[in-house]
Amino acid sequence: MDADMPPPEDATQISVVVIGYNDAAHIRTAVRSALGQGPAVREVIAVDDASTDGTGALLDRMAAREPRLRVRHRTVNSGGCGSPRNDGLRQATAPYVMFLDSDDVLPPGAADALLAAALRHAAPVVAGACLRRELPLRRDTRWQRALYLGEAVHDAPELQPRLVRDTLCVNKLYDRAFLAAHGITFPEGPFRYEDFVFTARVLAARPRIAVIPDTVYIWHVRRTAARPSISLDRNRVDGWRARLTAHRLAVDTLQLAGQRRLAHAARVKFLDHDLRIYLRELGRRDEDHRLAWWDLTREHLESFGEEDLLAARAPARWSARVIAAAGHPRDVERLAGLAVHPARLLPPYARVNGRPVWAIDLPAVLLDQVDETPLHRLPVTVDGTLRAHERGTGGRGRGGGNGSGIRNGDRGTGTMGLTRPRLRLVLRVHELYGRLMAAGGPVTVDVELRHRDDGRLGLARNAVLTRDDTAAPSWTAEVLLGLDTPGTAGPASAGGHGGTPEIWDVRVRIHCADGGSLYTGVRAAGPLPRRGVAAGRNGLLLVHPFEAAGGSLALRVARGPRSALRIAGRALRRGLAERW
């Protein structure tokens, strides 16, 4: 076919609706990614939601050069994403429709992969994998990864209730006639989390759904943006209120359609996902925010039944029971610990009539399954205290092999100059309702640095655990972490290329005397060393220990002179030079 000739009409089967508001910096890239999908895309409909930054004029200039691009200008801003998407949907002429946000992109081949699956399986809805990319670091994670491990066809959504967990509308292809026949649109006006409701309306209509493992959408997450996206704007309690409203309407939509199994799955998803991500950050909010959040959540949980709680993961239902039973915010740090993954339950550990409960004054909040749960699934708490450590001040000692131990009297100075970077990690393993003692007690610990995005092992050490009888039952160990160890796949050698930092989570595997073990994260305890610059065998290295969401201990590591010198310059301006 001649390059100047349009593709045959039956090959151009997709309309891509791109919406944007005051996003002239990114919308050009989004539109080009849609046009670049090739002949499968008949048209790209860009809806400018009354922008004031030149977005509309930019789109008009692009449309003057690209016949497949059509632009619609709204005269009044809608305050949400639903109305502009509905505008684009009404103007679409192709049999199928996709949605794209102005700050995201479609990867090459996305439209072809979705369309081929729709035709192959006669499915009015096709969903593909979404890649969640944090910028500018380009850290990638798979959204709802378990749903997209392979190709599958579900004749009805209730046959795979987990589908309710993917509330995105942008990683899917929809048969436009199917949407029209069932009157499926987005909520209009300033309605946040509109995709929750749209997805529920689609599922309520019982379509045949095909799922493919191909990456069909790249979701850009810009945490440092001047105007954060709806999903990242969690600082105000209004965002939580909007999320609850959308979730309630989604559940009601499924209930009214007779989709009780899906409605139940949506409530379980709320406990396992929505509640968890907000609980992790609740400790960072002020008292007024916590009070309002607590009241809203308690009211929302009144519609949940015991069957919903029992179907959720144990940490999620324990948290929900605490919130429902307490009239005011309490134990926020303990709740945040349950919200991280792996979950951890901080002391104290109370029993009433022999049963494990949340607290003596909340005896009705039973921590069911604590006594029956296998050891490897227990939410044991491991505290970690980090200290900077100079080269030459430590050696092989009671911690075991690989130079991981610390000699008695070895204190370090808390300063990292241009030396081989080392950190001293002091661990404390807390008992949990007597379960560790029942297993003979912890005897050794393996310490790992795990890459947050791809899970690869960066560094491993081991140490002997010693019973500490000075406090409540606990066990301690000390480990020396040489972050630039030659011959290992350590963070310094594997990541941080070009000065781009990577995040490594501190994880531990606890081995008990009876052969049982458990794997969990480490909680940051005590003040952390400041970021430091060091010269290792792999070049300049920046190491920044920090407390991640929910109190988890992690290291941000970057290699290269640009990153190191930039951080050193900041330190000098603060009068800290290279001190931690």
Side-chain angles (χ1 to χ4, degrees):
M1 185 176 67
D2 192 294
D4 295 329
M5 294 179 59
E9 185 69 16
D10 59 358
T12 58
Q13 301 203 51
I14 301 175
S15 297
V16 181
V17 176
V18 184
I19 64 169
Y21 169 66
N22 282 353
D23 200 13
H26 305 118
I27 198 168
R28 184 196 304 270
T29 303
V31 170
R32 284 178 173 171
S33 77
L35 293 170
Q37 295 297 308
V41 173
R42 175 184 299 180
E43 61 190 359
V44 176
I45 303 170
V47 183
D48 171 32
D49 200 4
S51 298
T52 59
D53 71 338
T55 294
L58 184 154
L59 291 171
D60 288 338
R61 290 194 297 271
M62 294 184 69
R65 300 187 298 270
E66 173 52 69
R68 288 187 297 160
L69 175 59
R70 298 163 54 200
V71 182
R72 166 169 167 73
H73 299 280
R74 292 181 55 88
T75 57
V76 178
N77 180 257
S78 68
C81 297
S83 293
R85 286 202 184 116
N86 287 337
D87 288 348
L89 184 58
R90 283 189 287 267
Q91 291 202 352
T93 64
Y96 294 93
V97 65
M98 296 173 63
F99 300 101
L100 172 61
D101 290 345
S102 61
D103 54 350
D104 300 331
V105 294
L106 299 177
D112 286 339
L114 289 167
L115 180 59
L119 299 176
R120 183 164 61 248
H121 300 297
V125 179
V126 183
C130 171
L131 192 69
R132 193 175 185 270
R133 174 168 293 165
E134 292 205 31
L135 298 175
L137 304 180
R138 291 182 66 87
R139 290 202 303 266
D140 293 344
T141 54
R142 296 281 174 178
W143 170 256
Q144 295 296 331
R145 181 177 179 272
L147 280 172
Y148 298 102
L149 297 177
E151 187 161 337
V153 180
H154 308 291
D155 289 326
E158 58 265 31
L159 300 178
Q160 176 52 282
R162 194 178 178 87
L163 289 168
V164 302
R165 291 179 175 253
D166 184 4
T167 54
L168 299 180
C169 68
V170 289
N171 61 329
K172 300 176 179 67
L173 178 77
Y174 302 95
D175 185 321
R176 199 164 55 84
F178 166 80
L179 297 179
H182 294 277
I184 299 173
T185 60
F186 293 89
E188 290 278 351
F191 191 99
R192 302 175 71 178
Y193 299 100
E194 74 294 329
D195 44 358
F196 284 23
V197 180
F198 181 84
T199 298
R201 290 171 177 173
V202 169
L203 297 177
R206 292 182 168 87
R208 181 184 180 91
I209 298 178
V211 172
I212 60 175
D214 308 62
T215 299
V216 301
Y217 197 85
I218 299 180
W219 173 9
H220 288 150
V221 178
R222 296 177 172 88
R223 296 188 183 277
T224 58
R227 184 169 59 91
S229 65
I230 289 175
S231 61
L232 294 179
D233 189 9
R234 298 197 287 266
N235 292 328
R236 296 175 298 173
V237 75
D238 284 346
W240 181 239
R241 182 182 287 107
R243 195 180 189 106
L244 296 182
T245 298
H247 179 262
R248 188 178 298 113
L249 181 54
V251 170
D252 289 346
T253 298
L254 295 169
Q255 291 274 37
L256 290 173
Q259 297 274 32
R260 291 192 178 90
R261 190 178 182 190
L262 292 181
H264 165 69
R267 286 190 290 265
V268 175
K269 173 259 181 187
F270 173 85
L271 296 171
D272 284 337
H273 178 71
D274 304 67
L275 184 63
R276 181 179 65 86
I277 62 176
Y278 278 80
L279 272 177
R280 286 185 313 185
E281 301 176 356
L282 190 59
R284 303 176 183 177
R285 312 304 178 206
D286 60 33
E287 184 178 356
D288 289 341
H289 182 114
R290 293 185 196 181
L291 285 169
W293 185 94
W294 199 271
D295 289 342
L296 288 168
T297 308
R298 289 188 75 212
E299 180 183 3
H300 188 69
L301 290 174
E302 290 177 358
S303 63
F304 286 58
E306 184 66 15
E307 68 280 4
D308 301 320
L309 297 178
L310 291 176
R313 299 186 183 96
R317 68 170 168 270
W318 296 346
S319 299
R321 285 170 175 164
V322 171
I323 295 169
H328 56 83
R330 59 171 289 167
D331 303 332
V332 172
E333 186 180 9
R334 295 183 78 198
L335 292 171
L338 286 181
V340 300
H341 183 75
R344 58 174 169 267
L345 178 59
L346 276 63
Y349 308 117
R351 285 186 181 269
V352 173
N353 297 326
R355 303 188 308 168
V357 297
W358 181 260
I360 292 295
D361 60 333
L362 284 181
V365 180
L366 177 67
L367 302 189
D368 56 312
Q369 298 185 2
V370 162
D371 290 334
E372 298 83 17
T373 297
L375 182 67
H376 69 274
R377 294 178 57 191
L378 288 176
V380 169
T381 295
V382 180
D383 287 340
T385 304
L386 275 178
R387 297 288 183 267
H389 188 83
E390 284 191 330
R391 183 178 183 179
T393 59
R396 306 177 74 91
R398 69 186 181 206
N402 298 322
S404 61
I406 303 295
R407 290 187 307 217
N408 291 335
D410 179 10
R411 302 301 181 193
T413 64
T415 301
M416 180 178 285
L418 292 180
T419 62
R420 179 177 168 186
R422 291 186 172 198
L423 292 172
R424 182 172 52 155
L425 176 63
V426 181
L427 297 171
R428 180 177 295 275
V429 181
H430 294 273
E431 177 61 279
L432 181 70
Y433 290 99
R435 290 298 310 277
L436 295 182
M437 291 292 290
V443 290
T444 61
V445 56
D446 300 330
V447 181
E448 301 177 351
L449 297 185
R450 284 283 176 182
H451 193 279
R452 175 165 297 182
D453 296 331
D454 57 29
R456 70 182 184 271
L457 177 64
L459 182 142
R461 292 289 183 266
N462 58 74
V464 174
L465 285 160
T466 304
R467 175 71 182 268
D468 185 355
D469 294 322
T470 62
S474 62
W475 295 260
T476 62
E478 296 185 9
V479 180
L480 189 62
L481 305 179
L483 300 179
D484 202 28
T485 304
T488 66
S493 60
H497 297 291
T500 301
E502 294 186 332
I503 293 179
W504 298 81
D505 292 308
V506 183
R507 299 292 178 93
V508 293
R509 184 173 297 280
I510 308 298
H511 299 274
C512 291
D514 69 351
S517 67
L518 61 93
Y519 186 76
T520 189
V522 173
R523 170 177 171 261
L528 294 175
R530 297 185 181 93
R531 64 185 66 191
V533 179
R537 301 191 185 186
N538 291 311
L540 285 175
L541 181 70
L542 166 70
V543 182
H544 176 203
F546 70 100
E547 183 179 320
S552 297
L553 180 60
L555 303 178
R556 185 175 288 111
V557 178
R559 185 177 51 138
R562 285 183 301 169
S563 179
L565 292 175
R566 182 170 63 248
I567 299 303
R570 292 175 183 172
L572 284 168
R573 287 193 296 272
R574 296 188 184 103
L576 297 174
E578 292 171 348
R579 294 187 61 83
W580 286 71

